[in-house]
Amino acid sequence: MRSQTTRLEAFSDGVFAIAITLLILEIRVPHVDHGLWAGLLALWPSYVAFLMSFVVILIEWVNHHELLRMVRRVNYPFLFANGLLLLTITFLPFPTAVLAAYLGTSEAQTAVAFYCATFAFNALVWNVLFSTIVRGRLLNHEVSAETIANVRRAYIVGPLVYLLATALAFVQPVLGLVVNVSLWIVWIRLGYRSVIDQ
């Protein structure tokens, strides 16, 4: 059974690695006639978009790793639910590129809303994945009901906050991004290890 989860994790790790690497392709060498520093500084939207997406993909990779530590076996629904999650991960470089291209323009509202909405869908898929795991009774027997409830609670909050960030983006793009980033705290503090390490 462990070999099944190992293969799944190895495949998923590869997808995460590719997605996080593709982010840097958006930052291109500036071609300027007057002042390289000015050209580099003008790329600030690309730096912001790269940093935000890099951090969130990193956090999601860590959470995915921790989630799989709770799983004792896999089944078909779990494999496809995990594949759906990986689809959202591989899509992330595109809204990141859109954010980088339009953050400093009059279309910033739409760019930020699209970016935040992408994470709202991504967060919904995390719910699908975890529900598939729980319904399929794929969790280790040591995982307590309290841990399951804590993870579910965090996963429910995620899409709601991302939807709020999407709505705020149409009013104030910067505020939408701030709300988006605030969820990093939730994902970093999510206690997958509380049972496994006891």
Side-chain angles (χ1 to χ4, degrees):
M1 292 301 181
R2 182 55 191 165
S3 64
Q4 294 178 351
T5 58
T6 300
R7 289 187 63 194
L8 177 69
E9 187 169 6
F11 175 76
S12 301
D13 285 350
V15 173
F16 275 99
I18 293 171
I20 207 169
T21 302
L22 289 175
L23 296 175
I24 193 60
L25 298 181
E26 175 53 34
I27 304 181
R28 297 180 174 86
V29 176
H31 299 285
V32 296
D33 296 325
H34 305 287
L36 180 56
W37 278 117
L40 290 171
L41 290 174
L43 292 175
W44 69 265
S46 294
Y47 303 145
V48 171
F50 169 77
L51 180 62
M52 289 185 61
S53 293
F54 186 96
V55 171
V56 78
I57 291 179
L58 175 63
I59 293 172
E60 291 201 34
W61 171 71
V62 172
N63 283 346
H64 188 266
H65 171 73
E66 293 300 303
L67 181 61
L68 287 185
R69 293 177 77 243
M70 298 168 62
V71 174
R72 60 187 172 86
R73 64 185 181 90
V74 302
N75 60 11
Y76 274 169
F78 178 39
L79 291 174
F80 283 106
N82 188 73
L84 182 59
L85 176 67
L86 296 181
L87 183 149
T88 68
I89 297 299
T90 57
F91 183 73
L92 288 180
F94 176 61
T96 301
V98 172
L99 182 66
Y102 292 98
L103 183 57
T105 72
S106 60
E107 295 294 332
Q109 292 176 328
T110 302
V112 174
F114 177 57
Y115 184 79
C116 294
T118 299
F119 283 105
F121 181 71
N122 169 261
L124 285 173
V125 175
W126 276 98
N127 278 275
V128 172
L129 178 62
F130 191 67
S131 295
T132 301
I133 292 171
V134 174
R135 286 200 309 269
R137 299 181 179 179
L138 307 179
L139 292 170
N140 291 317
H141 299 301
E142 296 81 7
V143 179
S144 68
E146 179 183 1
T147 299
I148 296 173
N150 289 338
V151 174
R152 273 183 169 154
R153 190 178 306 114
Y155 281 4
I156 291 173
V157 168
L160 297 177
V161 176
Y162 281 130
L163 287 175
L164 174 62
T166 303
L168 289 174
F170 289 107
V171 179
Q172 178 53 257
V174 173
L175 185 57
L177 289 179
V178 169
V179 172
N180 187 296
V181 169
S182 70
L183 275 171
W184 293 359
I185 300 173
V186 175
W187 305 137
I188 291 173
R189 291 175 58 86
L190 192 53
Y192 293 112
R193 287 180 173 270
S194 58
V195 172
I196 303 298
D197 289 343
Q198 286 181 358

